[in-house]
């Protein structure tokens, strides 16, 4: 698909971020990234798919390149705003400390990068207090800090933390 | 009560879930949501409360409502585990999810109604074709290593639906996709759930 990420692990290569994460969950089950209860798992997957399938693909580089340059920002913003309008509503019934209850799940892994994209595309997040406060709580966790775009091997100097 | 599926006859995402329900022998009631009539019934207040993304499908089951077709299918798999829709081996499961996500996240969202409406009318067909062609180029390659009778091995898994015919995509470059699709279309679960046989199929498109 000529996209990142791809993970080489256990002698295979997997792509599609959620397929990778589900494989990690099944082969390295602790700590959990999905709750045990099937209904809560459905909520986690629903939120993850909403972001990974419903928002991100519409505002990624290869799609934006097909849109006229002066319309690209609005296009990306619309994709994010439609998705965030829905997500803010869904989180009213699923969220605790994090997206689904009080443990970090796959849904939270999808949320933080998407909020970062929203900021990149100058989307006003005031209408999304739940998304914003969950994002804030996640960003202080070590796993979200060490993996941040500003601390990667390939982060350009001018963008380094 | 019986599960309720909110579905549009032609929606490929709805068809995926219909197939999963059929394969697992789960009876359900269909509430048709017409994506075009009345400005699009998915925008009604009632439906929006059910699915804030304003998309089909949505499934009411076991006292909850789930949307996002793959999340629905994974829930069905976990609560009604036979017959299986995902293999037991984690590496094969990864292949199934990878292919499902490629289609459901990498192709379909780029050619669905709400995105196409944002593209100039005379460019819409090419846009949809490009989305499908990019995805199918990748998928055809991936299937070389995963496919048996079907997409991953010889058991039907996470139902794949190929809507290339609607957008007139030439499928000669995709012999593996085409032959798997042909094999799947003769199976009962794929036939009874086909868009041409739904409660809301318009008369002129009925089988």
């Amino acid at each position: 698909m000529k996209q990142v990420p791809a993970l080489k692990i256990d002698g295979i290569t997997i792509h599609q971020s959620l397929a990778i994460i589900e494989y990690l969950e099944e082969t390295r089950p602790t700590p959990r990234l999905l709750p045990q209860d099937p209904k809560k798992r459905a909520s986690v997957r629903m939120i993850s798919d909403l972001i990974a399938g419903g928002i991100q693909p519409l505002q990624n580089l290869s799609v934006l390149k097909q849109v006229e340059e002066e319309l690209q920002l609005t296009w990306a913003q619309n994709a994010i705003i439609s998705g965030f309008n829905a997500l803010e509503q869904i989180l009213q019934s699923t969220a605790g400390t994090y997206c689904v209850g009080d443990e970090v799940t796959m849904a939270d892994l999808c949320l933080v990068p998407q909020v970062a994209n929203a900021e990149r595309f100058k989307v006003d997040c005031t209408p999304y207090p739940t998304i914003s406060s969950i994002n804030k709580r996640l960003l202080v966790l070590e796993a979200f800090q060490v993996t941040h775009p500003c601390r990667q091997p390939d982060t350009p100097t001018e963008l380094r933390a | 009560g019986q599960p309720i599926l909110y579905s549009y006859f032609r929606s490929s995402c709805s068809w995926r879930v219909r197939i999963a329900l059929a394969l697992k022998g789960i009876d359900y009631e269909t509430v048709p949501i017409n994506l075009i009539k009345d400005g699009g019934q998915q925008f009604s207040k009632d439906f929006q409360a059910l699915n804030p993304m304003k998309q089909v499908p949505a499934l009411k089951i076991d006292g909850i409502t789930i949307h996002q077709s793959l999340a629905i299918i994974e829930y069905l798999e976990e609560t009604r585990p036979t017959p299986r829709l995902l293999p037991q081996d984690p590496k094969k499961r990864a292949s199934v999810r990878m292919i499902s996500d490629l289609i459901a996240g990498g192709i379909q969202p780029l050619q669905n109604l709400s995105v196409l409406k944002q593209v100039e009318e005379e460019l819409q067909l090419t846009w949809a074709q490009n989305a499908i062609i990019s995805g199918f180029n990748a998928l055809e390659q991936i299937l070389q290593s995963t496919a048996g009778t079907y997409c991953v091995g010889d058991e039907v898994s996470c139902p794949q639906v190929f809507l290339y015919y609607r957008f007139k995509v030439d499928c000669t470059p995709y012999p593996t996709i085409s032959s798997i699709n042909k094999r799947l279309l003769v199976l009962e679960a794929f036939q009874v759930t086909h868009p041409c046989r739904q409660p809301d199929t318009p008369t002129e498109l009925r089988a």
Side-chain angles (χ1 to χ4, degrees):
Chain A
M1 272 299 261
K2 294 173 269 188
Q3 294 171 336
V4 283
L7 183 71
K8 256 184 171 162
I9 187 169
D10 303 337
I12 58 168
T13 302
I14 318 171
H15 49 89
Q16 297 298 328
S17 62
L18 301 187
I20 296 171
I21 293 168
E22 296 256 14
Y23 178 80
L24 295 176
E25 178 74 351
E26 290 184 349
T27 54
R28 284 100 172 137
T30 50
R32 305 191 72 92
L33 287 178
L34 281 149
Q36 257 176 301
D37 170 61
K39 292 181 185 182
K40 295 207 174 87
R41 289 162 80 81
S43 291
V44 170
R45 288 185 173 117
M46 196 168 76
I47 292 169
S48 304
D49 288 355
L50 190 159
I51 296 171
I55 305 178
Q56 197 280 339
L58 304 184
Q59 45 92 140
N60 74 17
L61 202 63
S62 54
V63 170
L64 285 186
K65 281 202 287 197
Q66 297 179 62
V67 177
E68 283 185 61
E69 210 178 332
E70 61 269 21
L71 299 172
Q72 286 178 7
L73 186 61
T74 316
W75 178 284
Q77 289 174 337
N78 285 343
I80 295 168
I81 289 167
S82 307
F84 275 16
N85 285 343
L87 185 55
E88 182 69 22
Q89 223 175 304
I90 289 161
L91 290 173
Q92 299 314 304
S93 42
T94 65
T97 312
Y98 304 115
C99 283
V100 178
D102 302 318
E103 302 297 323
V104 173
T105 65
M106 183 167 70
D108 301 296
L109 278 50
C110 295
L111 185 85
V112 166
Q114 190 57 61
V115 175
N117 279 354
E119 285 161 8
R120 254 182 71 208
F121 291 112
K122 311 192 209 318
V123 170
D124 173 20
C125 284
T126 335
Y128 317 118
T130 317
I131 291 175
S132 302
S133 52
I134 293 172
N135 186 60
K136 226 170 150 180
R137 265 172 242 139
L138 290 164
L139 280 173
V140 301
L141 301 177
E142 188 185 358
F144 289 78
Q145 291 224 346
V146 307
T147 57
H148 195 283
C150 70
R151 290 185 189 89
Q152 294 310 295
D154 56 331
T155 307
T157 332
E158 65 273 18
L159 296 170
R160 274 200 172 283
Chain B
Q2 238 186 12
I4 301 173
L5 179 70
Y6 297 82
S7 158
Y8 181 53
F9 77 102
R10 200 196 283 223
S11 146
S12 62
C13 309
S14 303
W15 193 4
R16 281 177 213 144
V17 173
R18 295 199 296 259
I19 296 168
L21 290 164
L23 286 170
K24 290 198 177 278
I26 300 169
D27 287 325
Y28 61 96
E29 184 196 326
T30 302
V31 171
I33 301 289
N34 193 306
L35 303 184
I36 319 230
K37 245 205 274 182
D38 310 328
Q41 293 170 348
Q42 69 275 32
F43 300 114
S44 77
K45 256 195 167 151
D46 286 340
F47 189 73
Q48 203 172 330
L50 208 71
N51 180 5
M53 270 304 257
K54 295 172 268 188
Q55 294 170 335
V56 284
L59 183 71
K60 259 184 171 162
I61 187 169
D62 302 338
I64 57 169
T65 303
I66 317 172
H67 48 91
Q68 298 298 327
S69 62
L70 299 185
I72 296 172
I73 292 169
E74 297 257 11
Y75 178 80
L76 295 176
E77 180 73 351
E78 290 183 350
T79 55
R80 284 100 173 137
T82 49
R84 305 192 72 92
L85 288 179
L86 281 151
Q88 255 177 301
D89 171 61
K91 292 182 185 182
K92 294 207 175 88
R93 289 163 80 82
S95 290
V96 170
R97 287 188 173 117
M98 195 169 75
I99 291 168
S100 304
D101 288 356
L102 190 159
I103 297 171
I107 305 178
Q108 197 280 337
L110 303 184
Q111 44 92 138
N112 74 16
L113 203 62
S114 54
V115 171
L116 285 186
K117 280 200 287 194
Q118 296 179 61
V119 177
E120 282 185 61
E121 208 177 334
E122 60 270 20
L123 299 173
Q124 285 179 8
L125 185 62
T126 316
W127 178 284
Q129 289 175 337
N130 286 343
I132 295 169
I133 290 168
S134 307
F136 274 17
N137 285 342
L139 184 56
E140 182 69 21
Q141 223 175 303
I142 290 163
L143 290 174
Q144 299 315 302
S145 42
T146 65
T149 312
Y150 304 115
C151 285
V152 177
D154 301 318
E155 298 299 319
V156 171
S157 56
C158 239
Q160 302 315 315
V161 175
F162 306 118
L163 275 194
Y164 52 75
Y165 52 82
R166 253 183 79 205
F167 293 110
K168 312 190 206 322
V169 170
D170 173 21
C171 281
T172 335
Y174 315 119
T176 317
I177 293 176
S178 302
S179 53
I180 293 173
N181 188 59
K182 226 171 150 181
R183 266 173 243 139
L184 290 167
L185 280 174
V186 300
L187 301 177
E188 188 185 358
F190 289 74
Q191 293 224 343
V192 303
T193 57
H194 195 284
C196 70
R197 290 185 189 89
Q198 293 310 295
D200 57 331
T201 308
T203 331
E204 65 274 15
L205 296 172
R206 275 202 169 282

